[in-house]
């Protein structure tokens, strides 16, 4: 029998030793406290962080499994949901739940839409055709994941190549008798724009469909941007026909991770979210969300941070983030080699280039101590660099823009690495649709990925991935993940 390489230490370590080990382990992590990280982190500053930690650790052990045993957790959740609903202009009918993140909120909304449609239209439940959800190509991957988990068919609609917003007429053309759900984003992650929610809502009402608005990224910050004068199209419960909205608190509300809400127009819609099981031998389960046992930490910490900043605190943050985003957009607009993708409605900026190798540009920027994200090309959206602007980045914006301009000059005339050409040539010689796993692994080894550790995905790998069909990218990345989480 094969043995794992690592087993529990024979005797426990001291708290001090554990602390030291943790510090060693995190040495290679992205240094988000530098203020130079433009992805993954929503840093509220030290004062708020202390408040969040206090609330989180105070509720580390309490279990959200049974809200009747811990009424304080129920109270936190109800208050957080109520604040979220009024933020999104919901009336007293609006209900919702606290979830672990955007993905869970989205999975729950899609499940509710599916079960609502089945209950409403029994012919759907009897049909051999899977129910369909219509997604703009810019909708977050979490909807694809939800469809995958819930056995629904995704119908993709391409977005406008300039605005990167979906067009209602394109959505209308995709609706058929199996459609159950429409989706719009406010904002989309990649290009940070708001889809035409009123037009989608009109379609949903006309065809008796569920409309979900993905406000995971934008739901919290957009109302402040609107107050500050940004022309934000309507996207919330003030639009009749919006059935549900997801809004993450662990993004621009700066809650500790594991914090999102999913909101429904009324209780009749939310009912389809709840799962109850009395057909086993243990305690009766009735779960509103995906998780069953769960720490009280995230909901207590989310409640704490909302109360810590309040409306004026968030508005003040939004003002500075807005000004910084405008500055970055102007820089891209004015730069002859860079192209802004869409006009950001909020605080992310995505830019591409037809003359500068974009992945090498990102790598050069990151080599100078920054962390910027890249997005592969898909449909109308060319490969690009994506900046998610946060309060922690504000002192660094001028430095970032100077660095981007300097790095453009560094990579301008660079040639693709021989590795990229080699792998792409090897790929051209095989039929990737029938490639077996072993050949796939050989290719990955050739490209220097796989085999444990946490490789840095640099420009070379991204150039290879970008040249591949999305289906093959998916296979490759699945294989990669399977390797990454193997061994210790
Ligand atoms: C628009 C949008 N929807 C959904 C999600 C998924 O959220 P999470 O990563 O919390 O699951 C994100 C994450 O960035 C997002 O930007």
């Amino acid at each position: 029998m094969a043995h794992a390489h690592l087993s529990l230490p024979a005797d426990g370590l001291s708290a001090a030793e554990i602390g030291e080990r943790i510090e060693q382990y995190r040495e290679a992590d992205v240094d988000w406290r530098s203020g130079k990280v433009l992805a993954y982190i929503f840093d509220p500053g030290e004062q708020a962080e202390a408040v969040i930690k206090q609330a989180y650790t105070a509720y580390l052990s309490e279990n959200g499994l049974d809200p009747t045993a811990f009424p304080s957790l129920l109270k936190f959740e109800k208050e957080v949901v109520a604040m979220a609903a009024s933020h999104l202009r919901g009336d007293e009918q609006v209900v919702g739940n606290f979830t672990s993140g955007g993905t869970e909120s989205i999975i729950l909304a899609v499940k509710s839409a599916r079960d609502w449609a089945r209950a409403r239209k029994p012919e759907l439940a009897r049909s051999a055709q899977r129910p369909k959800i219509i997604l703009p190509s810019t909708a977050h991957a979490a909807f694809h994941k939800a469809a995958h988990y819930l056995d629904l068919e995704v119908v993709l609609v391409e977005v406008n190549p300039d605005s990167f917003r979906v067009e209602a007429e394109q959505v209308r053309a995709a609706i058929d008798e199996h459609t159950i759900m429409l989706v719009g984003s406010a904002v989309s992650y990649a290009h940070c724009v708001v889809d035409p929610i009123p037009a989608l809502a009109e379609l949903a009402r006309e065809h008796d469909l569920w409309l979900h608005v993905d406000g995971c990224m934008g739901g919290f910050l957009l109302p402040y941007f609107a107050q500050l004068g940004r022309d934000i199209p309507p996207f919330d419960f003030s639009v009749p026909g919006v059935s549900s909205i997801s809004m993450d608190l662990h993004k621009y509300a700066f809650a500790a991770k594991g914090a999102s809400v999913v909101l429904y127009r009324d209780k009749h819609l939310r009912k389809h979210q709840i799962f109850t099981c009395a057909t086993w031998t243990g305690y009766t389960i009735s779960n509103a969300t995906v998780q069953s046992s769960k720490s009280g930490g995230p909901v207590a910490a989310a409640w704490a941070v909302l109360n810590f900043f309040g409306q004026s605190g968030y508005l003040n943050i939004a003002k500075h983030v807005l000004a910084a985003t405008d500055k970055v957009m102007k820089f891209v607009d004015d730069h002859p080699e860079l192209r802004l993708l869409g006009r950001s409605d909020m605080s992310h900026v995505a830019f591409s280039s037809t003359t500068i190798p974009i992945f090498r540009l990102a790598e050069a920027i990151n080599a100078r101590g920054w962390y910027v994200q890249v997005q592969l090309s898909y449909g109308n959206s060319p490969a690009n660099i994506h900046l998610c602007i946060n309060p922690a980045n504000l002192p660094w914006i001028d430095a970032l823009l100077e660095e981007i301009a300097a790095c453009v000059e560094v990579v301008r005339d660079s040639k693709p690495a021989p590795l990229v050409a080699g792998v792409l040539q090897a790929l051209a010689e095989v039929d990737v649709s029938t490639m077996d796993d072993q050949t796939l692994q050989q290719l990955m080894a050739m490209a220097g990925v796989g085999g444990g550790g946490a490789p840095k995905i640099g420009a070379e790998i991204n150039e290879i991935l970008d040249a591949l069909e999305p289906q093959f990218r998916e296979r490759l990345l699945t294989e990669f993940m399977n390797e990454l989480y193997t061994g210790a």
Side-chain angles (χ1 to χ4, degrees), residues 100-104 106 140 142-143 185 187-189 214 216-217 248 250-251 348:
S100 64
T103 300
E104 187 181 352
I106 287 168
H140 195 274
F143 290 96
S185 303
V187 295
S188 58
Y189 180 84
D214 181 10
C216 283
M217 186 55 80
D248 291 357
H250 63 202
K251 295 191 169 91
H348 299 184

